[in-house]
Amino acid sequence: MMHYRFSAIVLLFLLASCGGNNQKINQTDTTLDVSATTSGQLDVNPLSGYFVKNTIQVTDSLTFWIVDNQQAFDSLFGVAKTMNNTITQPDFGTQVVVAATMPPSWYNTRIELAAATLDDATNNATMRFATTSDANKSSSSITPLWLGTVPKNGKQTFNFYNGDKLATSITTIQ
């Protein structure tokens, strides 16, 4: 009989601990960031084989342009065709050209795209650039240039950074 009482008491405790709670329990791990990310890589295709025309005077330390038509592109940039390089023409029907340039330098300065992201929610693009140069002075100066194409995405703001510092923002309506 004692065995039945003990079993009944154990059963009563089990029912009380499991069956009496009808509250809905929301199990969320608050240590994880569950918000959806809205940023992704910006589809950038670098262009090579172009130079800044000598009729263009670049005076800022790093100057940025968004070019959306062939006429404006041709007024700013010339083709540096050699026997060994391939020149890719931008398709202004589906792309815009992003350009970064600096004043002429005697130190073989290069402009490099360090990162490019697109915020899907706002359609804002962030492009981060870095510059490098040789320590030795060369025999001629060149105007550093970086060119690339990005897809047209309607109204879009481009935030251009020189390293970690915001250099300028340009809003386009494509």
Side-chain angles (χ1 to χ4, degrees):
M1 184 82 171
M2 180 92 151
H3 179 55
Y4 289 115
R5 275 190 194 169
F6 181 72
S7 296
I9 291 173
V10 170
L11 184 60
L12 184 63
F13 279 120
L14 282 174
L15 287 173
S17 65
C18 295
N21 190 357
N22 289 334
Q23 290 180 327
K24 195 174 202 179
I25 298 173
N26 184 5
Q27 295 180 350
T28 304
D29 186 356
T30 58
T31 61
L32 298 176
D33 182 12
V34 293
S35 63
T37 180
T38 60
S39 293
Q41 286 296 114
L42 179 64
D43 184 18
V44 179
N45 294 307
L47 295 175
S48 61
Y50 293 95
F51 62 90
V52 178
K53 289 189 172 180
N54 60 9
T55 56
I56 306 300
Q57 296 298 317
V58 179
T59 56
D60 286 344
S61 61
L62 200 51
T63 301
F64 299 97
W65 290 307
I66 302 291
V67 183
D68 64 356
N69 64 74
Q70 189 69 51
Q71 183 179 3
F73 184 81
D74 292 341
S75 70
L76 295 168
F77 310 109
V79 177
K81 179 68 179 141
T82 65
M83 291 177 59
N84 299 328
N85 70 348
T86 302
I87 306 297
T88 303
Q89 290 285 329
D91 176 6
F92 288 104
T94 61
Q95 301 170 326
V96 293
V97 172
V98 176
T101 189
M102 299 175 71
S105 172
W106 294 86
Y107 293 93
N108 194 22
T109 303
R110 293 167 299 286
I111 303 169
E112 299 169 357
L113 179 64
T117 57
L118 178 66
D119 185 325
D120 295 328
T122 63
N123 206 31
N124 292 342
T126 299
M127 299 181 80
R128 296 182 183 276
F129 289 87
T131 58
T132 59
S133 61
D134 295 339
N136 298 324
K137 187 175 179 179
S138 67
S139 60
S140 63
S141 69
I142 62 161
T143 301
L145 173 66
W146 181 92
L147 283 176
T149 61
V150 298
K152 285 186 176 181
N153 289 327
K155 182 178 180 183
Q156 188 169 20
T157 298
F158 289 85
N159 297 307
F160 295 106
Y161 286 80
N162 183 359
D164 290 332
K165 182 181 175 195
L166 179 64
T168 191
S169 294
I170 300 173
T171 301
T172 65
I173 299 175
Q174 305 162 9

